[in-house]
């Protein structure tokens, strides 16, 4: 946003336009590049942008010494046409090292206050070697991000990318999803400005710095109000009676290593609950082409047993029938026969990484009409319109999206406070609690 100032950078996009990239898919790449550029501070003394287009041959589309106005760069990106031949990725990286980042093309000498970055986007297996040329590029001070699409060779991406690999290698299943990586790169180039430390915020209790911005939070026992600034007492807190069911996507697109991260995400939420017959109960459902109840509400009476059951959960690895899963949640998960308690708040957390293969509208509406509080968490190729359809009102507080599975722990932290059950401080029960606390305090003081 306006508070973010990007680091001075020589940034070169290296774009695969080989014959496997269809024209409409190449348009998606151009949209991604344009969105990243829109978030940069572009100028001769700020960030300079270059674009290299490659297939069997390599073509410089935008030079670092080109007039560096944002409008001019966006116009130049729109005019790029695909080459539609082979895939000489190594040749393209060599071109970037020897030409695109050279002083003759506008490249600046390395300095502590700015860096050189290459973002490679490809969907195929290169017809030449990339390991050695990428190593030379990194040795020359170029930080390389590798984005793979579809049937890309993941080993090739790892050979190209800078360390640490988990921060420099990204994968999306299709070009339709590549735009979701925009935020990651806008944030990567953003100078961290600690607005909390400077006092330039209006949070009532706690201020949490984010790159170039901040968000408000609350102390334990309070929850953030809808204004995103003030806090309300949460007398029951996460120890209140609550029936919580996780609805977890186990489709093949999640991948085994990411499914383990999803399990950690579930247990992160469980850690924040007070689990007992009188307080929180947890149920878990996994879905792919079919729906499988892992365990119903109330089967496990403590956090330790719930977390152990989550860790043992096996990965289904098939399709993505989110509508069918939501219907199961409504019809079965919150039924008395599966451990749900009458009069206790019902919360559903739906986790998905892709587009549903069936219709979700009716089941999503039925869940909310039944009074269930629905949170939607999407990662990777999840469709944000579907997440919004699942989420309760206000939607902005009940749906979360991240391009990367590795960041879902951050979503978990936000959810821990969101599922807090608020209690009206003027209700009789609250007054009685307060009165008892005061009496206990007076007695201790008298003693």
């Amino acid at each position: 946003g306006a508070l973010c100032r990007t680091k001075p950078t020589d940034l070169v996009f290296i774009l695969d336009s080989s014959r496997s990239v269809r024209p409409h898919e190449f348009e998606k790449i151009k949209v991604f590049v344009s969105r990243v550029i829109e978030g940069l501070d572009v100028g001769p003394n700020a960030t300079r942008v270059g674009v290299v287009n490659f297939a069997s041959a390599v073509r410089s589309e935008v030079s670092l010494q080109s007039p560096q106005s944002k409008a001019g760069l966006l116009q130049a990106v729109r005019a790029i046409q695909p080459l539609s031949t082979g895939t000489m990725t190594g040749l393209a990286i060599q071109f970037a090292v020897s030409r695109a980042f050279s002083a003759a093309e506008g490249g600046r000498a390395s300095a502590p206050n700015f860096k050189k970055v290459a973002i490679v986007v490809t969907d195929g297996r290169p017809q030449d070697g990339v390991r050695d040329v990428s190593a030379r590029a990194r040795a020359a001070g170029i930080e390389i991000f590798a984005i793979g699409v579809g049937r890309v060779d993941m080993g090739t991406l790892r050979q190209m990318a800078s360390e640490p690999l988990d921060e420099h290698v990204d994968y999306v299943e299709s070009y339709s999803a590549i735009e979701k990586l925009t935020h990651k790169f806008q944030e990567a180039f953003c100078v961290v400005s600690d607005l909390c430390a400077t006092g330039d915020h209006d949070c009532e209790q706690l201020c949490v710095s984010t790159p170039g911005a901040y968000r408000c939070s609350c102390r334990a026992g309070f929850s953030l109000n809808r204004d995103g600034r003030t806090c309300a007492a949460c007398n029951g807190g996460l120890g209140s009676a609550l029936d919580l069911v996780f609805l977890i996507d186990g489709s093949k697109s999640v991948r085994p290593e990411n499914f383990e991260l999803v399990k950690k995400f579930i247990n992160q939420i469980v850690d924040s609950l007070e689990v007992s017959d009188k307080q929180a109960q947890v149920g878990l459902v996994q879905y792919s082409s079919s729906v499988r109840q892992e365990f119903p509400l109330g089967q496990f009476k403590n956090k330790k047993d719930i977390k152990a059951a989550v860790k043992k959960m096996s990965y289904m690895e098939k399709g993505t029938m989110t509508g069918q899963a939501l219907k199961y949640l409504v019809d079965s998960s919150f039924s008395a026969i599966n451990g749900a308690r009458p009069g206790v708040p019902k919360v559903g957390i739906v986790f998905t990484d892709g587009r549903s293969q069936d219709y979700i509208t009716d089941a999503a509406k039925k869940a909310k009409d039944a009074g269930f509080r629905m949170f939607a968490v999407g990662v990777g190729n999840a469709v944000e319109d579907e997440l919004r359809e699942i989420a309760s009102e206000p939607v902005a507080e009940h749906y979360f999206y991240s391009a990367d599975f590795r960041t879902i722990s951050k979503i978990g932290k936000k959810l821990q406070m969101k599922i807090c059950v608020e209690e009206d401080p003027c209700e009789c029960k609250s007054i009685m609690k307060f009165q008892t606390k005061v009496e206990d305090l007076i007695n201790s003081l008298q003693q």
Side-chain angles (χ1 to χ4, degrees):
L3 295 172
C4 177
R5 292 292 175 265
T6 55
K7 302 168 187 174
T9 305
D10 281 355
L11 170 62
V12 174
F13 293 92
I14 304 174
L15 309 179
D16 179 354
S17 68
S18 57
R19 65 174 66 90
S20 62
V21 184
R22 297 171 184 173
H24 72 275
E25 292 175 330
F26 193 67
E27 291 302 310
K28 300 280 188 186
I29 298 176
K30 287 157 62 175
V31 170
F32 162 72
V33 172
S34 297
R35 292 286 165 81
V36 175
I37 290 172
E38 284 170 355
L40 301 173
D41 292 325
V42 173
N45 299 314
T47 294
R48 298 180 187 175
V49 176
V51 181
V52 171
N53 184 9
F54 77 94
S56 294
V58 183
R59 187 163 70 198
S60 176
E61 302 285 0
V62 178
S63 165
L64 291 173
Q65 66 179 353
S66 303
Q68 294 285 315
S69 74
K70 198 171 290 189
L73 287 171
L74 296 175
Q75 186 176 353
V77 170
R78 284 194 295 271
I80 298 173
Q81 296 299 313
L83 300 173
S84 301
T85 50
T87 312
M88 302 293 283
T89 315
L91 182 65
I93 295 171
Q94 180 58 51
F95 181 92
V97 175
S98 58
R99 287 276 304 278
F101 284 105
S102 69
E105 291 291 314
R108 293 170 284 188
S110 295
N113 62 335
F114 87 96
K115 57 185 181 178
K116 299 181 179 184
V117 174
I119 299 177
V120 183
V121 182
T122 181
D123 79 333
R125 186 183 296 272
Q127 296 168 326
D128 57 355
V130 300
R131 185 192 299 273
D132 293 343
V133 69
S134 299
R136 287 196 296 273
R138 296 191 300 267
I142 300 170
E143 182 179 6
I144 302 177
F145 291 89
I147 300 174
V149 184
R151 299 179 67 181
V152 71
D153 177 50
M154 294 300 292
T156 298
L157 298 181
R158 288 189 281 271
Q159 287 176 19
M160 289 190 286
S162 297
E163 294 283 353
L165 292 178
D166 62 350
E167 293 180 14
H168 290 84
V169 176
D170 287 284
Y171 171 81
V172 290
E173 284 206 326
S174 68
Y175 283 103
S176 298
I178 193 170
E179 193 180 330
K180 292 177 180 178
L181 293 175
T182 302
H183 179 71
K184 169 186 170 171
F185 287 99
Q186 287 177 337
E187 197 169 88
F189 297 124
C190 185
V191 176
V192 177
S193 175
D194 192 347
L195 299 174
C196 295
T198 62
D200 189 15
H201 66 84
D202 58 353
C203 299
E204 182 181 50
Q205 289 189 2
L206 304 177
C207 177
V208 180
S209 282
T210 57
Y214 68 91
R215 63 178 174 81
C216 297
S217 184
C218 300
R219 294 189 293 272
F222 294 82
S223 62
L224 194 65
N225 290 324
R226 291 181 182 180
D227 62 9
R229 184 180 63 82
T230 60
C231 298
C234 182
N235 298 316
L238 299 183
S240 292
L242 179 74
D243 285 347
L244 171 63
V245 175
F246 292 93
L247 198 60
I248 300 301
D249 182 353
S251 60
K252 60 179 174 288
S253 59
V254 173
R255 300 188 172 199
E257 64 272 19
N258 290 330
F259 194 67
E260 293 304 310
L261 293 176
V262 175
K263 290 182 186 181
K264 290 181 180 178
F265 163 80
I266 296 169
N267 282 340
Q268 180 185 2
I269 304 296
V270 172
D271 267 331
S272 68
L273 303 170
E274 293 298 332
V275 176
S276 73
D277 288 335
K278 302 293 185 185
Q279 296 172 304
Q281 291 190 152
V282 177
L284 177 60
V285 174
Q286 185 185 171
Y287 70 95
S288 60
S289 297
S290 58
V291 180
R292 183 172 77 201
Q293 179 171 258
E294 302 291 347
F295 53 84
L297 289 163
Q299 177 175 330
F300 299 111
K301 309 298 183 185
N302 58 67
K303 284 190 271 193
K304 182 181 177 183
D305 290 345
I306 293 173
K307 291 169 71 175
V310 171
K311 287 178 182 176
K312 289 178 185 174
M313 176 172 55
S314 61
Y315 176 33
M316 293 175 77
E317 203 171 354
K318 292 183 182 177
T320 312
M321 302 294 280
T322 314
Q324 185 180 333
L326 284 165
K327 187 176 186 305
Y328 183 91
L329 184 83
V330 174
D331 296 342
S332 300
S333 296
F334 286 125
S335 64
I337 198 168
N338 277 313
R341 297 165 291 181
V344 171
K346 308 290 188 289
V347 175
I349 298 178
V350 182
F351 183 97
T352 181
D353 91 319
R355 181 184 293 276
S356 178
Q357 294 170 334
D358 61 354
Y359 189 60
I360 68 165
T361 300
D362 290 346
K365 183 176 185 300
K366 195 173 179 182
K368 290 180 282 190
D369 288 348
F372 306 154
R373 190 176 181 195
M374 301 296 294
F375 291 92
V377 179
V379 177
N381 295 316
V383 178
E384 294 191 57
D385 285 346
E386 289 186 358
L387 298 177
R388 292 188 189 98
E389 196 165 0
I390 294 168
S392 293
E393 294 289 345
V395 171
E397 292 185 16
H398 290 84
Y399 108 95
F400 304 87
Y401 173 78
S402 172
D404 193 338
F405 274 89
R406 295 183 297 269
T407 63
I408 60 175
S409 63
K410 294 179 183 176
I411 293 175
K413 288 177 183 176
K414 294 176 184 176
L415 269 171
Q416 285 173 345
M417 280 308 296
K418 294 283 185 186
I419 61 176
C420 169
V421 180
E422 293 181 27
E423 185 178 327
D424 184 348
C426 298
E427 284 185 358
C428 180
K429 259 172 70 178
S430 298
I431 294 170
M432 292 297 292
K433 282 182 188 176
F434 176 73
Q435 187 173 326
T436 303
K437 284 180 183 178
V438 172
E439 287 173 354
D440 289 346
L441 181 60
I442 290 171
N443 287 335
S444 67
L445 287 170
Q446 287 174 336
Q447 288 171 5

